Structures are given as C-alpha cells and as structure tokens.
C-alpha cells in the first residue's frame, strides 16, 4: 500500500507487479498442497482445463512456440487451475471475514484518495494505485455488486473510484452489470431490453463514436488476421501460433515488446491483442473457449450464490474485453477477498 503512492509497477525500476504475481502464485500453491497433499483430488472442471492446457502446451512446444508466448497464452488456464484445482476438498484460500472486509475497505479508500490526488495535482487522467487501473478496477466493481452489508457512503466511494479512473471499460461495466443482473433475474422479460441495449452499443461502435479506443480498433480489424476456416473457428489450431506477418507489421507501433522483427519480417502472437476474453476465442476456438468459460462459472457457482457467481463471471469476462480478465492476478485476488467477506 505504501509503495503504491509512488507506483507499484515502477518502483526502483523493478517490475513489482510480476514479483507480486510470482509471490501470490507460490503462496496459493503451497496452501493448496497443504490442504490437498500431492493433489489427491481434482475437480472435473480442473481436469478438463488441465487437459486443454496440456494439449495446447505440448503441441505449441512441438511447433516451436517460444515458452514466454506459450505461458502468456495459457495464463488464464493456469490461474484457473491455481484457484480451482481441488476446490471440493480445500475450497478457496479463506481469510477471516473481518480481515477480508478491512482489506477491501482500506484498499478502496487508498484508491479513492490517490485517484483524487492525481486529478488534483497532476495532468494524468488515468490514475492508478498499483498498476494500470484497468487491472485493479475489478476490486471496486466486485465490492460494489457483491459485497454484503456495505454502507451507502462506501458504495458512493466505489462508484466515484470507477468514474475518476477514466477507464471506459470499467465505466461500461458499471453500466452493464445491473442490466446483466436483471436479465438473469427476470430472464425472458429482460432479454429483449438487454438485446436492444447491445444493439445500441453495437451501432455506437460501428458508427465510429469510440474510434479513439484501441480495443475497438483491434476488434473491428479482427477479421483481417483471423483464420476464419471452420476448424479454426471452432477448435483453434490446438497450439499458440504467430499471427500473420501483415498484421504484425500493422501493429508494429506497439513496440518491440509485443512485435519483433525476424529476418526482415514482423513476428507477433495473439497477446498483441489486448483483451484476453477475445484472445481465448482466437487461440482456442469457440468450443474450447466456451468450455473454459463454462468451467469458470461452474466453479464460481460452487462457492458463491448464483447471482454473485454470475456477477463475478461477467466482471472477469468484461475485464477481459479490455485487459487480462480471467488472467488478471487482481481478479483472482478479488475473488478470494469477496469469498472471505
């Protein structure tokens, strides 16, 4: 928390977010091993996702996919296994309720304070506490829609954080989540209204009102690089593969970290596309991606009520239309905090 006021991601030129992710993965893995030694038990959902990860990993390595690109490509699957491998016997890492609630409240207050100070004393219109705010805003969203017995003042603080963030995706989630909740509560009655809302949003996008959003640019140009053959649409290519050179050249402005030059040609992988929910469909195909999404909801349903499970699922999915979504370490931590609270 103290480091965050300087910048968690940039402190002393060390990528503390990566170190924090590694630390978190190690701690949760040790917790799982302690509760379920040698992983004697594995859930059906985890077995399916593990099989998917093994198929894509082995095939990708055989095809010569760089290890880093492979890990990034299957990171959402790895985080799923980290959280839900043995959920029936060990459940989730469970902090005492008072600590979970306090962690959520203190973090939210710090986010609100830093966001406000950033707007008051700097020209940065995208404040953050730990890292780029698209990643960390899953916490106030989940607290707003899933946390029980919160005060009106705290709810207003959570809404203010989202509005001050300048994140279009978080603000869109703030608007869409109540509609999604109504759809699942009233089903048929609300479905036409939800469909109309989606149509209006689609018209906004296609008429260029959001052209300054890079994710929209990626989405509208998807068919220029997507292999639209039926086997690939439904099952992917069963490995993480490079995108077409012409596409990588068009996206070369994103820098050498995401687009490299090899033998005079441009090389990039699907991680150049910033939204993981779509990237899962591109890499794994509609069938495997749908199975993965279903496994996420099924496991959330085991530990949360139906309404909270749907809300958390859509927070992860919508976050994945902007950044990492189900591969976002802050989303995984948020689930653990909401579970404890």
């Amino acid at each position: 928390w103290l480091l965050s006021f300087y910048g968690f991601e940039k402190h002393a030129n060390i990528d503390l977010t990566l170190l924090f992710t590694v630390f978190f993965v190690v701690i949760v893995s040790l917790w799982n091993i302690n509760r379920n030694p040698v992983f004697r038990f594995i859930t059906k959902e985890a077995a399916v996702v593990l099989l998917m990860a093994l198929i894509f990993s082995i095939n990708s390595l055989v095809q010569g996919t760089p290890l880093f690109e492979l890990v990034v490509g299957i990171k959402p699957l790895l985080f799923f296994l980290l959280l839900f491998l043995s959920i029936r016997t060990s459940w989730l890492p469970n902090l005492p309720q008072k600590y979970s609630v306090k962690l959520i409240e203190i973090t939210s207050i710090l986010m609100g304070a830093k966001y406000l100070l950033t707007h008051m004393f700097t020209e940065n219109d995208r404040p953050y506490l730990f890292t780029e705010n698209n990643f960390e805003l899953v916490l106030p969203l989940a607290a707003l829609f899933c946390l029980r017995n919160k005060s009106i003042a705290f709810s207003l603080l959570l809404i203010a954080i989202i509005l001050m963030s300048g994140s279009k995706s978080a603000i869109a989630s703030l608007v869409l989540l109540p509609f999604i909740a109504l759809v699942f509560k009233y089903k048929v009655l609300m479905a036409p209204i939800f469909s109309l809302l989606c149509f209006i949003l689609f018209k906004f996008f296609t008429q260029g009102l959001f052209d300054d959003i890079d994710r929209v640019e990626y989405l509208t140009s998807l068919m220029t690089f997507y292999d639209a053959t039926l086997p690939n649409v439904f099952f992917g290519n069963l490995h993480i593969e490079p995108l077409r050179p012409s596409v990588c050249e068009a996206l070369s402005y994103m820098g050498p970290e995401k687009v490299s030059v090899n033998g005079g040609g441009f090389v990039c992988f699907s991680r150049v596309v910033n939204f993981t929910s779509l990237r899962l469909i591109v890499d794994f195909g509609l069938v495997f991606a749908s199975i993965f999404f279903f496994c996420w909801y099924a496991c959330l349903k085991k530990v949360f009520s139906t309404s909270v499970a749907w809300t958390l699922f859509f927070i992860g999915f919508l976050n994945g239309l902007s950044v990492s979504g189900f591969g976002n370490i802050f989303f995984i931590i948020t689930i653990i905090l909401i579970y404890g609270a």
Side-chain angles (χ1 to χ4, degrees), residues 27-37 39 82 86 90-91:
I27 292 298
V28 176
S29 298
L30 291 175
W31 183 89
N32 268 305
I33 293 171
N34 179 61
R35 295 294 299 271
N36 185 26
F39 299 109
L82 176 74
S86 53
S90 58
W91 299 101

Side-chain angles (χ1 to χ4, degrees), residues 60-323:
S60 296
L61 292 174
V62 170
Q63 297 289 337
T65 302
L67 181 60
F68 177 75
E69 300 292 347
L70 172 61
V71 171
V72 172
I74 66 170
K75 186 173 71 169
L77 280 67
L78 298 178
F79 278 177
F80 177 90
L81 293 172
L82 176 74
L83 201 58
F84 298 122
L85 184 69
S86 53
I87 191 172
R88 189 181 299 171
T89 55
S90 58
W91 299 101
L92 298 181
N94 190 11
L95 293 172
Q97 182 179 14
K98 64 178 182 179
Y99 291 126
S100 295
V101 173
K102 286 299 180 185
L103 279 170
I104 293 172
E105 290 177 345
I106 293 173
T107 302
S108 299
I109 291 170
L110 288 174
M111 288 180 74
K114 191 177 180 187
Y115 283 24
L116 180 61
L117 291 172
T118 300
H119 280 295
M120 290 175 61
F121 299 109
T122 74
E123 296 181 359
N124 180 15
D125 59 353
R126 292 296 301 273
Y128 61 88
L129 182 65
F130 295 120
T131 185
E132 178 189 337
N133 62 23
N134 280 331
F135 291 91
E136 62 190 27
L137 286 168
V138 290
L139 177 61
L141 281 169
L144 180 63
F145 291 103
C146 301
L147 191 62
R148 302 180 297 257
N149 303 321
K150 56 185 176 292
S151 66
I152 295 177
F154 187 60
S155 298
L156 292 175
L157 170 64
L158 296 171
I159 294 173
I161 290 170
I162 296 166
L163 295 178
M164 287 191 295
S165 70
S167 169
K168 298 180 180 68
S169 60
I171 295 171
S173 297
L174 179 65
V175 174
L176 284 174
L177 283 170
F179 281 94
I180 292 172
L182 288 173
V183 167
F184 285 97
K185 183 175 182 179
Y186 296 106
K187 297 182 174 61
V188 177
L189 293 178
M190 285 301 303
I193 298 176
F194 184 67
S195 299
L196 177 62
L197 176 66
C198 291
F199 176 75
I200 293 172
L201 289 175
F202 172 76
K203 294 298 290 183
F204 279 171
F205 278 104
T206 55
Q207 290 176 2
L209 298 182
F210 296 120
D211 282 347
D212 59 329
I213 306 176
D214 55 2
R215 275 69 168 180
V216 177
E217 181 182 344
Y218 301 150
L219 182 61
T220 54
S221 62
L222 174 62
M223 296 308 296
T224 65
F225 67 84
Y226 184 49
D227 179 3
T229 59
L230 284 181
N232 185 68
V233 169
F234 285 102
F235 301 103
N237 282 328
L238 299 181
H239 68 279
I240 308 299
E241 63 177 355
L243 301 179
R244 295 175 183 173
S246 58
V247 178
C248 297
E249 183 177 4
L251 297 174
S252 59
Y253 68 89
M254 301 189 71
E257 181 185 349
K258 291 190 174 182
V259 181
S260 60
V261 180
N262 185 11
F266 291 90
V267 179
C268 65
F269 289 78
S270 60
R271 70 183 178 94
V272 75
V273 180
N274 282 1
F275 31 79
T276 296
S277 295
L278 183 62
R279 204 165 72 204
L280 284 165
I281 297 174
V282 171
D283 284 337
F284 294 94
L286 286 172
V287 171
F288 286 119
S290 298
I291 291 172
F292 177 69
F293 293 143
F294 173 79
C295 288
W296 252 103
Y297 171 69
C299 285
L300 287 172
K301 183 72 166 54
K302 290 181 179 181
V303 292
F304 297 104
S305 66
T306 300
S307 60
V308 172
W310 273 120
T311 301
L312 288 173
F313 174 82
F314 275 106
I315 287 174
F317 183 83
L318 293 171
N319 183 254
L321 295 178
S322 175
V323 284

Side-chain angles (χ1 to χ4, degrees), residues 47-60 74 77 238:
V48 170
V49 173
L50 179 60
L51 181 61
M52 287 172 52
L54 289 174
I55 291 173
F56 277 82
S57 297
I58 294 171
N59 202 23
S60 296
I74 66 170
L77 280 67
L238 299 181

Side-chain angles (χ1 to χ4, degrees), residues 16-30:
L16 290 177
T17 302
L18 175 60
L19 293 179
F20 177 70
T21 300
V22 172
F23 175 76
F24 177 82
V25 168
V26 169
I27 292 298
V28 176
S29 298
L30 291 175

